[in-house]
Amino acid sequence: MTKPSRLASTVYGLVGLSLFIGIWQLVGAYELAGLTWPRFTTVISYLAEPSRWGLFSRALQATLWAMGVGYIVGGIAGFSLAVLSAVFQPLRPMTDTTSAVIHAIPAIAIAPLLIILLGSSVAPAALSALNVFFIMYVSTVAGLSATTPAHRDVFRVLGSSRFQQLCRLELPNALSSIVTGLRLAAPASMIGAIIGEWFGAPRGVGLLIVSAMQNFQIPLLWSAIVLATLTSAAAYGLFGLLERVIHSRFS
Amino acid sequence: MVAALEDPTAGHVTIGDMPPSDLARRHRLGVAFQDHALLPWLTVRKNIELPFRIANRPVDDRYVDHLLDLVGLSDFDRARPKQLSGGMRQRASIARALVLQPDVLLLDEPFGALDQVTRRHLNIELQRIWSESKITTVLITHSVDEALFLSDRVVVLSGRPGRIVKVVPVPFGRPRTPTVMRDAVFHQLSDDLTESLEGYVGTAEA
């Protein structure tokens, strides 16, 4: 089968999305899933009601802040550790294992710990950072070690130092992989932030979800989820654009 | 081993009176492989400038221009490798090997992946390059005609284990033109070498 054209994939994508929304609307309209499943249109009009924008924007700002901090801190940490392990090869098994163990801890399990340790206002950013850290570590390590033997031979014969090889060969070569990591890390940072907020952050989309659930405010609950999804998808799409630019330039 | 990429099992390699690794460290080796090994994110010009940057020397723009001209890529200096044909990439790779005016040029089947026409063309260009800058060159090739056309001395190696089968001096003067290939002596030497190869792999030294 040939790869569908760009227009065709856009059309298919839109058809899929419309189907999804259509089914959502039908299930809501005929109450097929009970009263806790509102119509798509109910949720959208709830979201679009200007009197609630203040509430949503305060929550979203808090979540975006946590995401941003987590993204930057986790990203820098993951990237730095990967570069460090590339420069000092003997460190590699150690950093690999450590990152894998950190990644293996379920976010939901470590969240209470972080809240006790750091306080509930910092926990969302910290969880977000943990999620981003692992993705950035793995994508940077993979990118740095993906150089071809021919390229390495050229650098060796030309008498390159280890540092020059890192700066002029390995890092530019890793850029595509790093940008892919950045894209994947965007939704991951949101998940981390929301789980962090879930456990009692002063505000945020996660808090909105919990309190809506506990107070049985069904449209609010769904609206918060839609908001979180849109934010996550937007971040993913934005980094997807960046990725396209980098990929065409660096490979 | 000459490129300091591998260590000899026994004995040692010296170039002048230095081991190859010292030459590499002093940025005095040039190398071009069968795989052009250009960096895909750099333009042709930046790729050719790379050895200067690795050697921490200021880029000699005029010499880079000269080399671009020599390998016929002046109009493509801002193109990226993937925009070039196989022959053009190989020429850029040879220009990169020459840019520091190395003591020894190592060419490891640089034309191996090219079609006959391009290969012939690059052989002739290599002659021209040598006529401008005389650089000791070790050329590894599978083509007997290429070895005879380009080199002063042909060293025939056996495959696995690699042993020197014979060393043949090439009598033709320089500069050589493709008419050499129609010489009776050329054909005689070519037949002799092919016979001594008997399925072995050949190496030539120029």
Side-chain angles (χ1 to χ4, degrees), chain B residues 45 60-70 74 77:
Chain B
R45 173 178 286 276
D60 183 344
D61 287 322
R62 282 183 47 212
Y63 192 59
V64 174
D65 284 336
H66 170 72
L67 279 177
L68 278 165
D69 190 41
L70 192 68
S74 295
D77 66 328

Side-chain angles (χ1 to χ4, degrees), chain A residues 15 17 80 87 120 123 125-126 177 205:
Chain A
V15 168
L17 191 64
S80 313
V87 176
S120 61
S177 173
V205 178

Side-chain angles (χ1 to χ4, degrees), chain B residues 179-191:
Chain B
T179 46
V180 171
M181 294 195 194
R182 290 194 278 276
D183 197 298
V185 183
F186 189 94
H187 288 298
Q188 184 56 47
L189 277 171
S190 172
D191 291 346

